Amino acid sequence: MTDNIIYLDNAATTAPSQAAVRAMVKAAKCFGNPSSLHGLGLEAEKLILAATETISDMLGVNSKNILFTSGGTEANNTAIFGAAEARRKLGTKLITSSIEHPSVLEAFRRLERLGFDVEYIGADKDGTVDVDALEQAADDNTVLVSVMHVNNETGVIQPIEIIREIINKKSPNALLHSDCVQSFGKMEVKPKKMGADMITVSSHKIHGYKGTGALYVSDMRMIRPVIFGGEQQGKMRPGTENVGGILAFGAAAKECNVDNEYLIRLRQGMIKELSRIPDIKINGCEDHNSGSILNVSFVGIKAEILLHALEAKKVYVSTGSACSSHKPQPSHVLGAMGLSKKEIDGAIRISFDTATTAYDITAAADIIEKEVAAIRRYM
C-alpha cells in the first residue's frame, strides 16, 4: 500500500484514481458552464454526456434515466422524498428496513413526521432483511419500498429480486428503490435485472471524488423534484452541474474492475488470519456477502481504542458507517441483528478494494493480533 500504510476503510471512501485526477484537471481546463450556448459550454456539456454514457452502460440503462447529485445522501433523499410526493394520492404507506444507511432512515423518519405510515422491517442474526415480515407489511396502500443492495456495515447482500416479487404480488402501486452505493463497482448492479425502479450510486466509493453521486430512475415521472430553481437535468435536479466531479465519476467507472471473487478471497483470507485471535465474532452472513466488507467483534475491548492503536501502526479501519462516526449510540445495524452490547462495542469494519493485496491482509492481521492482545492485557 502507498506510503507504507495499509488502507482497509474502502467502504468509507476510496483514493481517487489517476484517471479521475486527469478528468478533474480536464474539467478545470474546460471550465465553461454546460448550460451556456457558446463553445466552452457545449464542450462541457459534451463531456458530461460522455461520462453519463459510461455510467449508464455499466448499469445497463438509458443515459436519459440518470440524475447527477452531490452524493449518495442526496440521491437517496431525492428518490425517497420524490417518490413519496409523486405517489401520495395512490397511498401513504412506505416500507424500509431497520439496517439502512442513515440517509435513508432519516428520510423515512421525516416522512413519518409528515403523516406517512412507515414500516421498518427487521433483519435476522445474519444481517439479512426479513422478507416474510416485508411480505406481511406490504399491501395495496404501499407506494414505496427502499432496501439497500449491500449493507454498508456488514457487506451482506440483500434479496432485492425477492423483494421485487413480493411488491409485484402485494403492492402494485409501489416503487422499489435500492441504495447500491456499496455494491456499484464491486459486483454486478443491473437495475432491470434486480427489478429496481430507482438505484443510488456514488463516485467516491469507486475511486472518483467525493461530492458526486447519481440516481437512476426508470421513468422520471415516478418522482417529483426536491430541489428547485433551474432547467438543468430536465428540472429534476436543477443547479449548475459539478463538471469535474461528473467527469471523474465517469473516468472511475470506466476503469472499474468488478472482481467480486477477488474481494471474497481477500475477505476469507482475513477471516482465516484473524481466527487465531480468541474471543472474536464474525458479523454477517457468509454465504451472501459482497466480499468488500468484513465486520468483526473483538469481544471485551472498545473498538475505538483498537482503531486508534491500529492507526498508530498505519493500518486504517473503521468502527462502522462513516456517516455515523460521531454518534454516541452503538451501531443500529448490529443492534438489529441481535448482537450484545459487548459485541457491538468491540466491532470494527474492515473493507477491501481490488487494490488491496494479500500482503496487506497478512500484515494487517499480524498487527491487529498484537494490538488486541496488548489492549486486553491492560484492561
Side-chain angles (χ1 to χ4, degrees):
M1 180 58 75
T2 306
D3 298 328
N4 297 316
I5 72 169
I6 301 176
Y7 185 73
L8 297 173
D9 195 19
N10 292 281
T13 195
T14 55
S17 67
Q18 287 302 306
V21 173
R22 289 193 295 271
M24 189 67 82
V25 171
K26 187 174 185 178
K29 293 178 179 177
C30 181
F31 58 86
N33 187 317
S35 294
S36 297
L37 298 178
H38 51 62
L40 280 176
L42 294 174
E43 180 61 22
E45 182 184 30
K46 182 179 176 182
L47 291 172
I48 287 176
L49 291 174
T52 309
E53 289 286 350
T54 298
I55 294 165
S56 61
D57 286 349
M58 195 169 166
L59 293 170
V61 301
N62 193 306
S63 61
K64 293 181 180 179
N65 297 104
I66 300 292
L67 291 176
F68 287 108
T69 66
S70 63
T73 291
E74 186 194 330
N76 281 337
N77 274 251
T78 300
I80 293 163
F81 286 109
E85 175 66 23
R87 283 196 134 44
R88 189 161 197 163
K89 290 183 180 179
L90 297 174
T92 57
K93 188 169 188 177
L94 315 173
I95 300 175
T96 190
S97 86
S98 58
I99 59 171
E100 297 299 308
H101 188 272
S103 63
V104 169
L105 286 175
E106 292 303 322
F108 276 100
R109 285 169 184 148
R110 173 62 178 165
L111 286 169
E112 201 169 12
R113 292 193 293 272
L114 292 174
F116 285 87
D117 175 20
V118 181
E119 189 92 25
Y120 299 92
I121 303 301
D124 62 22
K125 61 183 178 59
D126 289 326
T128 303
V129 169
D130 186 343
V131 291
D132 292 333
L134 192 149
E135 185 164 12
Q136 289 179 3
D139 57 24
D140 288 342
N141 193 42
T142 306
V143 292
L144 175 65
V145 177
S146 181
V147 175
M148 63 185 5
H149 190 202
V150 167
N151 186 267
N152 57 299
E153 291 194 34
T154 64
V156 174
I157 302 169
Q158 302 302 324
I160 304 302
E161 293 86 351
I162 293 173
I163 292 170
R164 176 79 263 176
E165 292 173 5
I166 292 170
I167 291 172
N168 290 343
K169 182 170 63 174
K170 299 288 295 292
S171 307
N173 292 322
L175 300 177
L176 175 59
H177 165 252
S178 186
D179 176 350
C180 295
V181 166
Q182 292 294 348
S183 56
F184 181 66
K186 302 175 182 69
M187 56 187 293
E188 182 182 77
V189 175
K190 303 290 185 185
K192 292 179 181 178
K193 184 177 178 181
M194 295 162 63
D197 299 296
M198 301 176 286
I199 69 158
T200 295
V201 296
S202 180
S203 176
H204 73 106
K205 309 295 188 181
I206 64 164
H207 299 283
Y209 278 87
K210 303 169 190 68
T212 306
L215 175 67
Y216 159 77
V217 186
S218 61
D219 185 338
M220 291 298 172
R221 293 172 296 183
M222 291 176 169
I223 64 171
R224 297 286 182 267
V226 298
I227 297 175
F228 302 90
E231 302 288 327
Q232 295 91 345
Q233 301 195 73
K235 295 185 179 181
M236 293 306 298
R237 201 282 185 177
T240 304
E241 295 91 341
N242 176 3
V243 179
I246 293 170
L247 299 196
F249 195 178
K254 200 167 192 175
E255 280 196 335
C256 262
N257 178 15
V258 183
D259 193 348
N260 183 234
E261 292 302 318
Y262 179 71
L263 295 175
I264 290 172
R265 288 197 299 274
L266 288 174
R267 184 176 182 275
Q268 290 173 340
M270 180 62 86
I271 291 173
K272 183 179 179 181
E273 293 286 341
L274 295 179
S275 64
R276 60 180 181 259
I277 303 174
D279 297 322
I280 70 167
K281 180 181 184 299
I282 305 301
N283 304 315
C285 178
E286 290 297 297
D287 296 331
H288 300 285
N289 196 287
S290 67
S292 57
I293 297 172
L294 170 63
N295 193 295
V296 55
S297 295
F298 298 89
V299 183
I301 71 172
K302 295 289 186 182
E304 189 173 349
I305 294 173
L306 177 58
L307 182 150
H308 291 303
L310 295 177
E311 179 187 6
K313 301 293 184 180
K314 297 187 177 181
V315 176
Y316 295 87
V317 298
S318 70
T319 56
S321 172
C323 294
S324 303
S325 61
H326 299 293
K327 288 187 176 182
Q329 64 264 37
S331 163
H332 69 281
V333 173
L334 300 183
M337 292 165 59
L339 270 70
S340 68
K341 187 176 187 305
K342 280 189 175 182
E343 290 169 337
I344 295 173
D345 287 345
I348 67 169
R349 180 182 69 177
I350 302 169
S351 46
F352 313 102
D353 181 70
T354 51
T356 308
T357 66
Y359 170 79
D360 292 332
I361 300 303
T362 303
D366 287 343
I367 294 169
I368 291 171
E369 182 180 18
K370 291 174 184 174
E371 295 305 319
V372 168
I375 293 168
R376 284 175 171 164
R377 276 199 304 271
Y378 290 101
M379 286 180 58

